[in-house]
Amino acid sequence: MQKSYIINSNVLSKELDEYSEYSDTKLSYTKKNDVLSEIQEYIDNNDEINANFIMKLMFPKDRPHLFLSHKSQNASQAIRLANILYNKYEITSFIDSQVWQHIDIVSDMINYKTSLINDKNGRKTYSHRSANIVSSNLFSMLSVSLLETMDISDGYIYIDSNQDEKDNLSIDNIKELQTKSPWLFLEAKYASNIRIRSHPRPIPTYDSKPTNESRQQAKIEKSPSFSYKMCIGKATTLNSLCNIFDYNWKASSPLEYLDWMYNLFDSSANRR
């Protein structure tokens, strides 16, 4: 991963409002296979759980261009952003919540088979020790898979809603990001310390640079709660997406679009 950015959810929301024709509930380019059904069948038919098999089902087989990190309330923004980027520039994104939404379900599947002691009159009793083993293994699987997916991604964008009550993010308050999600805390740590590397760039076959003339007009249950202080080192704070949706130009590959996007983001930040 070579680039990391932070954008406020309110800023992003305003820029995405004009693109309501793009889905905010599912990625348009993901395969529509039923991952949970495959996992359930595997658990039913195997007494020993192969962690690698589960991780391969839940995480992408291909290397995403971008890793999009966000709080649960911003999932729809992340999905719409990913769909627009793919539709316009064929830039693919990995959205962390697409995995989170399966974790609790997979945990229940495994616990039902391995930890259930009693199931009478609608009341289930589980072995505390066995359930803890399941939980710790799932945490290990998810944390390792997140790290590997971030490592093979070219860039990282964190959609932050922590500062909604403030004017905007700045160098002074960026270190005060807070989250109650251990996964976001892990992702921020990974983004700050992961090795810097990029996807191999193809050699352009022709010079194609966007110009201003090419722009187009733009349009429960109570659970335990923990809090983590986040610091995303070396991340560039964005005040906007720099009108990236308003350009129409032809690149030789999605990676050329990605480098163009990075340059716009970095130039905008340097002007402040």
Side-chain angles (χ1 to χ4, degrees):
M1 188 180 72
Q2 63 162 327
K3 292 285 187 177
S4 55
Y5 301 95
I6 301 171
I7 188 165
N8 181 271
S9 60
N10 284 338
V11 172
L12 179 60
S13 180
K14 291 176 183 176
E15 301 204 24
L16 296 177
D17 280 348
E18 298 179 52
Y19 296 88
S20 57
E21 71 271 21
Y22 292 90
S23 173
D24 61 2
T25 58
K26 62 181 180 180
L27 287 174
S28 60
Y29 52 90
T30 53
K31 296 178 180 178
K32 297 182 179 179
N33 58 329
D34 191 346
V35 173
L36 290 177
S37 294
E38 289 187 57
I39 294 175
Q40 180 70 75
E41 182 179 359
Y42 174 77
I43 292 170
D44 290 342
N45 295 326
N46 293 274
D47 292 328
E48 182 174 281
I49 304 299
N50 185 318
N52 289 329
F53 181 84
I54 301 292
M55 289 189 291
K56 284 181 181 178
L57 284 178
M58 297 181 67
F59 281 81
K61 296 178 178 63
D62 301 319
R63 300 200 303 171
H65 297 120
L66 292 173
F67 187 105
L68 302 184
S69 180
H70 62 87
K71 297 182 179 179
S72 56
Q73 64 264 34
N74 303 124
S76 61
Q77 292 178 334
I79 293 171
R80 180 164 292 165
L81 173 61
N83 282 334
I84 298 172
L85 289 175
Y86 183 76
N87 181 268
K88 291 185 70 69
Y89 306 121
E90 295 185 358
I91 292 172
T92 59
S93 304
F94 174 82
I95 301 180
D96 53 12
S97 63
Q98 302 297 288
V99 173
W100 298 346
Q101 64 184 352
H102 295 330
I103 288 298
D104 288 341
I105 300 174
V106 173
S107 177
D108 288 343
M109 290 177 181
I110 299 175
N111 275 321
Y112 190 82
K113 178 175 181 178
T114 63
S115 310
L116 186 65
I117 298 173
N118 255 314
D119 185 2
K120 292 182 178 179
N121 302 320
R123 296 179 65 88
K124 296 181 176 65
T125 305
Y126 292 90
S127 162
H128 182 71
R129 179 179 178 279
S130 179
N132 274 343
I133 292 173
V134 171
S135 178
S136 62
N137 274 275
L138 284 174
F139 178 85
S140 296
M141 291 159 56
L142 183 58
S143 58
V144 168
S145 296
L146 284 173
L147 175 60
E148 290 178 343
T149 304
M150 293 184 78
D151 185 49
I152 63 174
S153 299
D154 195 83
Y156 166 90
I157 297 177
Y158 174 58
I159 302 171
D160 180 57
S161 57
N162 192 62
Q163 301 287 331
D164 285 351
E165 70 281 1
K166 300 182 180 180
D167 291 334
N168 52 50
L169 291 169
S170 68
I171 296 299
D172 296 327
N173 65 34
I174 191 172
K175 292 186 178 180
E176 299 304 318
L177 297 176
Q178 295 284 332
T179 180
K180 293 184 178 180
S181 166
W183 305 120
L184 286 182
F185 173 69
L186 272 181
E187 290 168 13
K189 285 295 183 184
Y190 292 160
S192 300
N193 296 286
I194 205 166
R195 60 180 171 172
I196 298 176
R197 68 170 183 168
S198 62
H199 291 190
R201 265 50 179 179
I203 299 174
T205 55
Y206 55 86
D207 184 26
S208 55
K209 296 181 180 179
T211 62
N212 288 335
E213 287 74 22
S214 67
R215 289 192 183 188
Q216 297 295 316
Q217 196 67 27
K219 278 189 162 210
I220 337 181
E221 259 181 42
K222 187 174 181 180
S223 301
S225 179
F226 297 84
S227 179
Y228 299 86
K229 186 173 181 179
M230 295 171 59
C231 178
I232 306 174
K234 301 179 182 178
T236 300
T237 303
L238 302 176
N239 287 334
S240 75
L241 289 180
C242 305
N243 301 313
I244 58 172
F245 303 146
D246 300 347
Y247 289 86
N248 284 317
W249 65 288
K250 184 67 176 176
S252 59
S253 72
L255 289 169
E256 189 178 354
Y257 284 125
L258 201 59
D259 288 336
W260 161 75
M261 188 175 75
Y262 291 157
N263 286 332
L264 284 179
F265 289 167
D266 293 342
S267 298
S268 174
N270 290 336
R271 287 196 296 269
R272 297 201 300 272

